[in-house]
Amino acid sequence: MPQITVTEHLLLHQKESPMATGKFTRLLNELILSAKIITREVNKAGLVDVLGFTGEINVQGEQVRKLDEYANSILIHRMERAGVLCAMASEENADLIDIPPTFPKGNYILIVDPLDGSSNIDVNINVGTIFSIYRRPDDNDHSCADLSDVLRKGSEQVAAGYFLYGTSTMMVYTTGKGVHGFTLDPGVGEFLLSHPDIMTPPRGNVYSVNESYWNYWDEPTQQAIMAMKTPQPHRRKPCSARYVGSLVADFHRNLLTGGVFFYPKDSLDPKKPHGKLRYLCEAAPLAFICEQAGGMATDGEKRILDIEPQTLHERVPLFIGSRDDMLDTMHILNPEATD
Ligand code: AHG
Ligand code: MN
Ligand code: MN
């Protein structure tokens, strides 16, 4: 594999990708630097005081872990001064993060899940960072963007991706021209192209869902999951159950080897009537990547990328992965729907 960095890859594809502007390249490079800094802390998490909780509760009602906060502060510090954003949003911040007036603005809007899979930090299991990028609707406006500029359909994203802090640190992203994976070479300190033009297999042998919530799910949801562990005409054996508890890790494995990930809504549980995952910083960016890789992503009824969020931290049920497995799942979830 030739040693191509993210920036070189972006410029190589400049003619196809209108995203290869200087400002976008700067945005990507600041994200990459943030990920390298987070990688450094993740890799020594057991040795320095970044394990455990800060004692705060975030807007999600979840206990904030030190690495959540650390990753969030690194991303905000680097991105707010890069001169490429007119607004930023984070899973860890209740409201929009305004770009301080002292810093130059840009036309991009960045939404991040700074650390995904927080419950796995203290037990040394893969965690990740998810990012989603929009352009402000009116390029000519150079003030800070407001909420209406951020509450956009996922189909309006100009780029989306994630970093996965695992056996190696990977970056996977799309600008709407395919999905490309890069692996951090610690010796060089660069993300080098390792997985060009990722396409997800149309069927897989894995399903990922937290079955402890079985009794909260409606009948069609239970049938869709039963179908994954029952031999089918196209699959003699049941699928394997794989559930890491870090969305990025489960998604990445399924993206490369095929499979589906479900986080259904809890019909019988008032706590999660729309599921747990956030539309803007989790479902929409991964849906963009999945579709670009030939897969499919819905909320159980409609295409994830067609949903227009009404609130910054809106949650949606998520069914995402291999196309043919997803088509079968959608038929079970919506038996009355015509093709
Ligand atoms: P985050 O750490 O950003 O809050 O995300 C955690 C999410 C996601 O990574 C994972 O798939 C899911 O929570 C696991 O939820 P359950 O423990 O309810 O299965
Ligand atoms: Mn998350
Ligand atoms: Mn998170």
Side-chain angles (χ1 to χ4, degrees):
M1 182 77 62
Q3 311 265 314
I4 297 180
T5 67
V6 180
T7 306
E8 286 165 344
H9 186 266
L10 194 63
L11 297 176
L12 273 174
H13 293 73
Q14 182 148 0
K15 54 185 178 309
E16 300 145 30
S17 173
M19 296 311 307
T21 64
K23 289 271 189 181
F24 181 76
T25 306
R26 174 73 195 276
L27 196 172
L28 222 50
N29 285 334
E30 289 298 340
L31 276 175
I32 286 169
L33 181 53
S34 302
K36 289 177 188 173
I37 296 168
I38 295 167
T39 298
R40 184 188 60 195
E41 291 309 296
V42 165
N43 288 347
K44 59 183 184 183
L47 301 173
V48 295
D49 185 25
V50 290
L51 295 181
F53 298 98
T54 63
E56 292 134 39
I57 302 292
N58 68 11
V59 65
Q60 318 290 341
E62 296 157 345
Q63 285 189 308
V64 179
R65 290 172 180 270
K66 290 175 183 170
L67 209 50
D68 277 325
E69 189 149 273
Y70 179 82
N72 200 37
S73 63
I74 291 295
L75 282 158
I76 293 173
H77 177 81
R78 298 231 54 91
M79 297 313 303
E80 66 182 358
R81 62 195 69 241
V84 295
L85 300 183
C86 52
M88 186 173 174
S90 167
E91 181 193 77
E92 300 298 332
N93 293 62
D95 305 310
L96 275 189
I97 301 162
D98 279 334
I99 309 303
T102 46
F103 296 136
K105 309 266 179 307
N107 286 333
Y108 291 105
I109 295 162
L110 175 67
I111 302 160
V112 292
D113 177 354
L115 206 88
D116 174 70
S118 310
S119 62
N120 284 323
I121 293 170
D122 295 5
V123 292
N124 199 23
I125 290 175
N126 293 15
V127 292
T129 296
I130 308 172
F131 61 89
S132 170
I133 301 171
Y134 292 83
R135 280 187 77 87
R136 73 172 327 138
D138 172 5
D139 278 1
N140 302 319
D141 181 350
H142 296 290
S143 61
C144 274
D146 64 31
L147 200 52
S148 65
D149 296 318
V150 180
L151 297 181
R152 310 263 284 282
K153 286 182 183 178
S155 54
E156 295 180 42
Q157 292 173 94
V158 294
Y162 57 84
F163 295 94
L164 179 58
Y165 311 111
T167 42
S168 60
T169 294
M170 273 198 74
M171 172 186 180
V172 174
Y173 88 108
T174 184
T175 60
K177 301 289 179 196
V179 177
H180 310 287
F182 301 78
T183 300
L184 181 63
D185 178 337
V188 177
E190 287 283 359
F191 281 94
L192 301 178
L193 182 66
S194 53
H195 298 71
D197 302 306
I198 297 173
M199 290 304 286
T200 194
R203 284 200 183 280
N205 290 312
V206 163
Y207 74 103
S208 307
V209 69
N210 185 339
E211 296 203 46
S212 69
Y213 304 130
W214 179 268
N215 294 322
Y216 296 144
W217 296 329
D218 60 22
E219 179 81 21
T221 302
Q222 292 177 341
Q223 286 170 4
I225 290 157
M226 279 307 289
M228 298 311 293
K229 46 189 176 182
T230 310
Q232 301 291 329
H234 61 270
R235 180 179 15 90
R236 284 180 305 97
K237 293 188 310 173
C239 284
S240 296
R242 292 284 185 276
Y243 194 76
V244 176
S246 292
L247 171 60
V248 175
D250 281 317
F251 175 82
H252 182 72
R253 180 203 53 243
N254 292 355
L255 181 75
L256 295 189
T257 61
V260 287
F261 173 96
F262 301 154
Y263 204 110
K265 65 176 183 277
D266 292 339
S267 306
L268 309 178
D269 174 345
K271 285 197 299 293
K272 292 189 281 183
H274 303 290
K276 173 183 184 181
L277 301 176
R278 279 66 49 156
Y279 180 78
L280 283 169
C281 70
E282 291 172 316
L286 295 187
F288 186 17
I289 293 168
C290 190
E291 286 198 4
Q292 281 288 310
M296 185 175 180
T298 75
D299 66 354
E301 292 167 28
K302 54 190 171 302
R303 182 180 178 237
I304 287 286
L305 295 183
D306 290 340
I307 295 171
E308 184 159 353
Q310 302 307 307
T311 60
L312 198 55
H313 298 288
E314 185 164 315
R315 296 173 193 262
V316 288
L318 181 62
F319 296 79
I320 188 168
S322 292
R323 180 161 198 77
D324 292 347
D325 289 338
M326 278 294 298
L327 287 172
D328 291 350
T329 299
M330 290 301 285
H331 279 311
I332 298 169
L333 293 174
N334 306 279
E336 76 293 342
T338 53
D339 282 344

